């Protein structure tokens, strides 16, 4: 018997709406949800490979308890009761001896995030952090400093834009299907793409104009663009006068930063900078300067992301058709969102200092909802601000996601308990004491997705097939663990269906409403706020704060003087990392379909530099930094700036039972130094200097 199930993909963090065709209990086909405008039935390679994940015999098939040394691969298969009892007893011992704050949970943010946060609050720990912290914490802080909104509360009207400027946002490889389709529609209607990156990516080849910028100098380019826009009065005068605070201060600040000055710093000709400023201004306000998806490259990341957002402000493109908009929730039309467990009355409030010191003078500005995850190994090793003794890693791998892999391993050795809730044999699962296997997104009903936007909607990940192995939904695993820890009263459900129905109470929607299309809508009309008097900024001034009260009150300048970036010494290179269309972070390299497409990474190096070092295309090279070294094959090309080398993130796995990805390629985290943007909160993933030599 054939049936169609509408659901949400989870092969990456985008959660594209999908239609799953099931026949006799087997998934036969996955495609984009045809009822969702912009999807058009399309899907990226990762989404299509969901079938391979479902049927993969190399994923974790039952609860496991470690029997040998960490990382030895020696496991004992156990029942769920034995595994959960073991974890609960260990946690009770740790909490009794070291306090609840000694327990930390890090996860890849997801639909059940409110369940994870509830567990920690229930036991009294402040120490929740998410992958978002490591990916885009500084973008979050930058948004709040200008608008009072986080980056997650903003989006872009790709379909109606007339000019989009992308700063390393590799749009056509780090794929978001609906966004790509919408932008391509805009291009077909005459929109222009400008792409800025030290490397010629697929997106660069599709752009109308490409700037090979010196790595790390994007802020210099933006200061020069502001100089031209403000001095030539190319900005939206009426919008700026009505909604912007601090314009005159910024105008004075950018006077020294001429296009000629920026040419010396960035390598981009002054006349091209002037042309870009003028061309975008002609299309305002339907212009997008894209502030990025991953904003974790440099120690001054918050100021780079602020500068990109400010360019949107000058164009008047904030809350404009074809520009940047604030996501509208159901409250805009009198509706109610799905409930979350964190909203329960009586759930304890936790005021203990966090492990990463967010909210203290060390990190006063990053968002506590995400934290500063790269501080985890330092907090463990230094026992600062207190000892950490237990880590729960939920579909998140700190070993390969946090810079300085060797330091991360040393930190893990200090912990009394490491628990992984995962689908695959990730490296953190491989180094764990207990693995609690989660059902894949095709095997479980999940919490509702509140999809705010121009038209607020709610989506549901519906179960397509029964679990192939002895696995459970993560929200059920956490609930069953909570019961054993004596805090089960905060988890008022037994099954995922119970939880979803509880969340939907008061929304006016019911579980059955999602069967037909996979989503429900609060309105059928786009919601843009009135640009004359209806914009709702959440800053103290009620305006866009170029001079930011958030920054200034914490003792940080709104506009720091630009610090020239010296080229690396001869034979040294700035290490850049990034993504491809076939893989998601560190989670898909062992997928049978995707591994076949991209089985390992290579080191991009400029042709002239390779010739000077005696390196030929395909040679094995050794790459070294101050914290580690490893070997990788070279990819010799003119399509990268000579000061940089590049490698894909997510390779170099050590989990032997994930046999396809085991020991393939090199882990970028082995080379990266753990450096942070101390204001915004992100790690500086592209700030490490490396040397390269041919392996004899």
């Amino acid at each position: 018997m054939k049936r169609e199930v509408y659901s949400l993909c989870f092969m990456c963090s985008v959660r594209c709406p999908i239609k799953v065709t099931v026949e006799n209990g087997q998934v036969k086909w996955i495609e984009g949800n045809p009822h969702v405008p912009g999807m058009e039935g399309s899907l990226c390679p990762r989404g299509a490979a969901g079938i391979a994940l479902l049927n993969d015999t190399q994923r974790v098939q039952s609860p496991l308890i470690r029997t040998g040394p960490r990382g030895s691969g020696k496991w004992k298969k156990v029942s769920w009761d034995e595994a959960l009892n073991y974890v609960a007893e260990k946690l009770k011992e740790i909490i009794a001896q070291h306090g609840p704050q000694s327990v930390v949970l890090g996860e890849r943010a997801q639909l059940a995030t409110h369940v994870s946060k509830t567990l920690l609050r229930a036991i009294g720990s402040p120490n929740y952090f998410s992958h978002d912290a490591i990916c885009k914490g500084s973008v979050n802080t930058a948004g709040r400093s200008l608008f009072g909104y986080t980056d997650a509360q903003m989006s872009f009207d790709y379909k109606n834009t007339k000019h989009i400027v992308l700063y390393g946002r590799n749009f056509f490889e780090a794929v978001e299907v609906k966004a790509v389709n919408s932008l391509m529609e805009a291009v077909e209607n005459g929109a222009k793409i400008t792409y800025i990156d030290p490397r010629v990516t697929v997106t660069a080849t599709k752009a109308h104009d490409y700037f090979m910028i010196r790595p790390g100098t994007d802020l210099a380019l933006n200061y020069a663009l502001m100089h031209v826009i403000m001095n030539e009065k190319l900005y939206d005068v009426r919008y700026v006068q009505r909604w912007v605070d601090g314009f005159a201060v910024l105008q004075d600040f950018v006077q020294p930063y001429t296009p000629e000055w920026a040419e010396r710093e960035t390598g981009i000709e002054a006349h091209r900078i002037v042309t870009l400023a003028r061309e975008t201004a002609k299309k305002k306000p339907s212009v997008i300067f894209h502030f990025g998806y991953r904003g974790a490259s440099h120690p001054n990341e918050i100021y780079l992301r602020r500068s990109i957002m400010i360019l949107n402000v000058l164009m008047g493109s904030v809350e404009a058709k074809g520009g940047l908009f604030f996501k509208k929730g159901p409250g805009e039309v009198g509706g109610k969102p799905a409930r979350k467990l964190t909203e329960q009355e009586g759930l304890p409030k936790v005021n203990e200092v966090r492990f990463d010191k967010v909210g203290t003078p060390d990190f006063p500005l990053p968002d506590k909802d995400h934290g500063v995850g790269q501080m985890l190994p330092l907090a463990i090793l230094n026992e600062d601000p207190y000892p950490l003794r237990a880590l729960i890693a939920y579909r998140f791998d700190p070993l390969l996601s946090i810079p300085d892999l060797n330091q991360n391993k040393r930190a893990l050795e200090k912990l009394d308990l490491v628990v992984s809730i995962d689908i695959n044999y990730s490296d953190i699962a491989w180094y764990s004491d207990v693995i609690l296997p989660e059902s894949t997104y095709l095997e479980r009903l999940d919490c509702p997705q509140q999809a705010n936007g121009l038209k607020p909607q709610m989506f549901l990940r519906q179960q397509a097939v029964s679990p192939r192995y002895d696995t459970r939904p993560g929200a059920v695993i956490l609930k069953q663990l909570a019961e054993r820890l004596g805090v089960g009263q905060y988890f008022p459900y037994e099954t995922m269906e119970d939880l979803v129905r509880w969340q939907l109470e008061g929304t006016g929607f019911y579980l059955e409403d999602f069967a037909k299309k996979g989503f429900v809508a609060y309105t059928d009309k786009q919601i843009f706020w009135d640009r004359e008097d209806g914009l709702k900024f959440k800053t103290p001034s009620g305006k866009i704060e170029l001079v930011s009260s958030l920054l200034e009150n914490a003792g940080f300048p709104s506009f720091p003087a630009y610090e020239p970036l010296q080229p690396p010494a001869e034979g040294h290179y700035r290490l850049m990392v990034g993504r491809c269309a076939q893989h998601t972070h560190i989670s898909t390299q062992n997928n049978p379909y995707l591994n076949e497409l991209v089985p390992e990474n290579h080191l991009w190096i400029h042709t002239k530099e390779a010739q000077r070092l005696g390196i030929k295309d395909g040679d094995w090279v050794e790459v070294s930094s101050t914290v580690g070294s490893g070997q990788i094959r070279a990819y010799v090309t003119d399509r990268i700036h000579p000061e940089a080398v590049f490698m894909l993130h997510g390779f170099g796995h050590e989990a032997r039972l994930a046999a396809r990805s085991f020991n393939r390629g090199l882990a970028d985290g082995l080379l990266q130094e753990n450096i942070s943007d101390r204001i915004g909160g992100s790690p500086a993933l592209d700030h490490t200097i490396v040397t390269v030599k041919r392996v004899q």
Side-chain angles (χ1 to χ4, degrees):
M1 180 179 175
K2 184 182 293 186
R3 60 190 180 92
E4 295 176 344
V5 179
Y6 292 101
S7 190
L8 292 171
C9 185
F10 198 25
M11 293 297 289
C12 80
S13 300
V14 175
R15 305 170 192 153
C16 286
I18 55 175
K19 183 176 77 172
V20 184
T21 301
V22 180
E23 188 171 0
N24 298 324
Q26 302 294 326
V27 174
K28 296 296 185 180
W29 187 249
I30 306 175
E31 63 183 83
N33 187 334
H35 299 295
V36 177
M39 288 302 298
E40 300 167 0
S42 53
L43 215 55
C44 78
R46 293 163 291 175
I51 297 177
L53 173 64
L54 172 68
N55 298 316
D56 191 359
T57 58
Q58 290 186 17
R59 64 181 171 103
V60 187
Q61 299 181 16
S62 67
L64 298 171
I65 294 178
R66 179 174 59 83
T67 59
R70 281 186 179 146
S72 66
K74 295 181 179 179
W75 306 99
K76 176 176 68 171
K77 181 179 178 180
V78 298
S79 68
W80 275 99
D81 279 342
E82 184 175 351
L84 290 167
N85 289 340
Y86 180 91
V87 173
E89 289 306 313
K90 289 287 186 182
L91 286 174
K92 286 178 181 177
E93 292 172 9
I94 290 168
I95 291 170
Q97 185 173 353
H98 301 284
Q101 74 278 4
S102 64
V103 180
V104 59
L105 187 151
E107 72 175 354
R108 181 176 164 191
Q110 50 163 323
L111 300 177
T113 285
H114 66 110
V115 183
S116 307
K117 292 181 176 180
T118 299
L119 176 64
L120 282 193
R121 283 181 58 183
I123 66 173
S125 174
N127 289 325
Y128 169 89
F129 75 96
S130 79
H131 153 265
D132 285 350
I134 297 168
C135 178
K136 57 191 184 75
S138 294
V139 188
N140 172 308
T141 310
R144 289 185 288 119
S145 75
L146 286 162
F147 312 114
Y149 292 92
T150 71
D151 62 300
Q153 295 170 318
M154 297 182 276
S155 191
F156 303 96
D157 184 14
Y158 298 110
K159 183 178 178 179
N160 295 300
T161 196
K162 295 179 181 176
H163 195 147
I164 184 170
V165 183
L166 300 162
Y167 296 76
R169 173 65 178 96
N170 192 2
F171 209 81
F172 299 119
E173 287 191 88
V175 181
E176 184 179 349
V177 174
K178 184 176 178 180
V180 168
N181 286 338
S182 296
L183 181 57
M184 290 311 299
E185 184 175 343
V187 170
E188 290 170 1
N189 291 327
K192 182 173 181 178
I193 300 173
T194 298
Y195 186 69
I196 302 161
D197 197 318
R199 184 174 71 100
V200 181
T201 66
V202 169
T203 306
T205 68
K206 307 302 179 187
H208 299 85
D209 205 0
Y210 167 62
F211 294 68
M212 183 179 276
I213 193 169
R214 276 188 65 221
T217 64
D218 304 67
L219 183 59
L221 170 64
N222 287 353
Y223 280 173
L225 287 170
M226 292 178 198
H227 176 100
V228 176
I229 290 167
M230 300 178 97
N231 285 358
E232 295 188 7
K233 291 185 169 55
L234 301 175
Y235 54 90
D236 187 325
V237 175
R238 185 172 179 178
Y239 185 90
V240 166
Q241 289 176 343
R242 175 66 180 87
W243 293 112
V244 175
D245 197 16
F247 178 84
V249 178
L250 177 60
Q251 187 169 32
D252 288 343
F253 171 79
V254 297
Q255 290 312 303
Y257 300 114
T258 64
E260 291 73 23
W261 165 84
E263 177 177 339
R264 294 190 295 272
E265 184 68 12
T266 66
I268 299 170
E269 298 95 325
H271 70 88
R272 296 185 71 197
I273 297 173
V274 173
T275 298
L276 177 59
R278 291 171 179 171
E279 285 188 350
T280 52
K282 287 178 183 177
K283 302 298 184 181
K284 67 179 184 291
S286 297
V287 174
I288 296 170
F289 286 86
H290 201 297
F291 54 65
Y293 201 75
R294 190 205 88 185
S297 303
H298 312 293
N300 68 348
E301 196 71 29
I302 185 174
Y303 293 113
L304 168 58
R305 301 301 154 179
R306 267 177 58 84
S307 71
I308 297 172
M309 293 176 185
I310 288 171
L311 287 167
N312 286 288
V313 172
L314 296 177
M315 293 294 101
S317 65
V318 179
E319 197 61 20
K321 186 175 182 179
L324 181 158
F325 64 84
F326 299 106
K327 295 179 181 179
K328 313 307 186 300
E332 292 283 334
V333 290
K336 290 186 177 180
R339 294 196 293 176
K340 295 182 178 180
L341 294 179
T342 46
E343 299 165 1
Q344 296 174 88
E345 291 186 12
L347 184 63
K349 295 188 182 301
V350 182
N351 298 314
E352 182 76 46
V353 171
R354 292 173 49 89
F355 78 90
D356 51 20
K357 298 185 181 179
V358 168
T360 75
D362 287 50
F363 279 108
L365 297 185
D367 193 334
K368 289 182 179 180
D369 279 346
H370 305 310
V372 180
Q374 69 271 19
M375 296 306 294
L376 177 67
L378 300 171
I380 295 171
L381 291 169
N382 299 328
E383 299 190 355
D384 180 19
Y386 42 69
L388 293 175
R389 287 292 181 262
L391 168 65
I392 301 173
Y394 186 179
R395 290 294 309 283
F396 169 75
D397 190 342
L399 276 175
L400 292 184
S401 300
I402 294 175
D404 197 344
L405 176 58
N406 289 323
Q407 179 174 259
N408 298 340
K409 288 181 179 178
R410 291 195 299 272
L412 282 187
E413 288 304 316
K414 285 197 68 173
L415 295 176
D416 298 328
L417 179 67
V418 180
V419 179
S420 286
I421 302 173
D422 214 329
I423 289 169
N424 298 307
Y425 285 103
S426 61
D427 277 30
I428 187 62
W430 194 247
Y431 276 85
S432 291
D433 304 308
V434 183
I435 307 178
L436 304 175
E438 186 181 32
S439 303
T440 70
Y441 68 97
L442 294 169
E443 300 169 314
R444 68 177 192 257
L445 176 67
D446 216 333
C447 299
Q449 178 187 23
Q450 200 68 48
N452 295 340
L454 291 177
K455 296 179 182 179
Q457 299 169 322
M458 192 191 305
F459 287 80
L460 190 64
R461 177 175 289 136
Q462 301 185 90
Q463 183 176 354
V465 294
S466 59
R468 295 294 180 261
Y469 305 113
D470 189 14
T471 62
R472 293 180 179 178
V476 171
I477 295 171
L478 293 176
K479 179 252 186 340
Q480 292 171 345
L481 181 58
E483 289 176 334
R484 288 165 170 81
L485 293 172
V487 292
Q489 68 270 28
Y490 301 114
F491 300 81
Y493 59 94
E494 295 296 328
T495 66
M496 287 307 301
E497 181 175 332
D498 294 338
L499 177 55
V500 171
R501 291 192 184 280
W502 180 88
Q503 287 192 259
L504 292 176
E505 287 178 10
T507 65
F509 300 117
Y510 301 91
L511 180 60
E512 293 73 19
D513 295 336
F514 295 87
K516 188 175 181 180
K517 295 182 178 181
F519 68 96
V520 293
Y522 289 90
T523 179
D524 60 355
K525 295 181 175 61
Q526 285 191 342
I527 305 169
F528 277 104
W529 288 330
D530 174 23
R531 286 164 57 87
E532 292 295 324
D533 294 303
L535 301 189
K536 306 171 186 178
F537 300 111
K538 293 184 178 180
T539 54
S541 64
K543 293 188 174 184
I544 301 170
E545 295 189 351
L546 304 187
V547 176
S548 168
S549 57
L550 185 76
L551 290 173
E552 303 281 342
N553 291 342
F556 302 117
S558 296
F559 313 119
Y562 182 82
E563 296 182 10
L565 192 68
Q566 298 302 317
E570 184 174 317
H572 292 69
Y573 308 92
R574 194 169 300 279
L575 176 65
M576 296 174 53
V577 298
R579 314 280 188 254
C580 64
Q582 294 81 7
H583 287 300
T584 299
H585 306 301
I586 50 83
S587 65
T588 58
Q589 282 73 18
N590 200 58
N591 183 286
Y593 294 173
L594 302 176
N595 179 272
E596 185 175 338
L597 293 173
V598 182
E600 62 184 0
N601 55 0
H602 297 78
L603 187 80
W604 290 44
I605 185 168
H606 192 273
T607 304
K608 289 182 180 178
E609 294 300 308
Q611 290 173 346
R612 191 174 60 78
L613 296 170
I615 296 170
K616 294 185 175 62
D617 190 54
D619 281 352
W620 283 99
V621 295
E622 183 175 20
V623 189
S624 302
S625 71
T626 60
V627 297
S629 65
Q631 295 186 3
I632 185 174
R633 289 191 184 276
Y635 173 60
V636 178
T637 177
D638 292 337
R639 297 191 294 275
I640 190 169
H641 196 283
E643 292 181 15
V645 292
F646 169 87
M647 60 194 298
L648 288 174
H649 170 65
F651 291 84
H653 288 255
E654 297 182 5
R656 288 193 297 276
L657 291 180
R660 304 178 201 95
S661 60
F662 171 64
N663 207 26
R664 299 294 298 273
L666 179 61
D668 52 346
L670 185 65
L671 304 169
Q672 291 166 325
E673 300 174 46
N674 193 334
I675 304 167
S676 291
D677 169 3
R678 305 294 301 188
I679 302 173
S682 287
L685 298 178
D686 288 355
H687 200 66
T688 298
I689 301 297
V690 298
T691 58
V692 182
K693 68 178 182 179
R694 183 173 177 271
V695 176
Q696 301 299 326

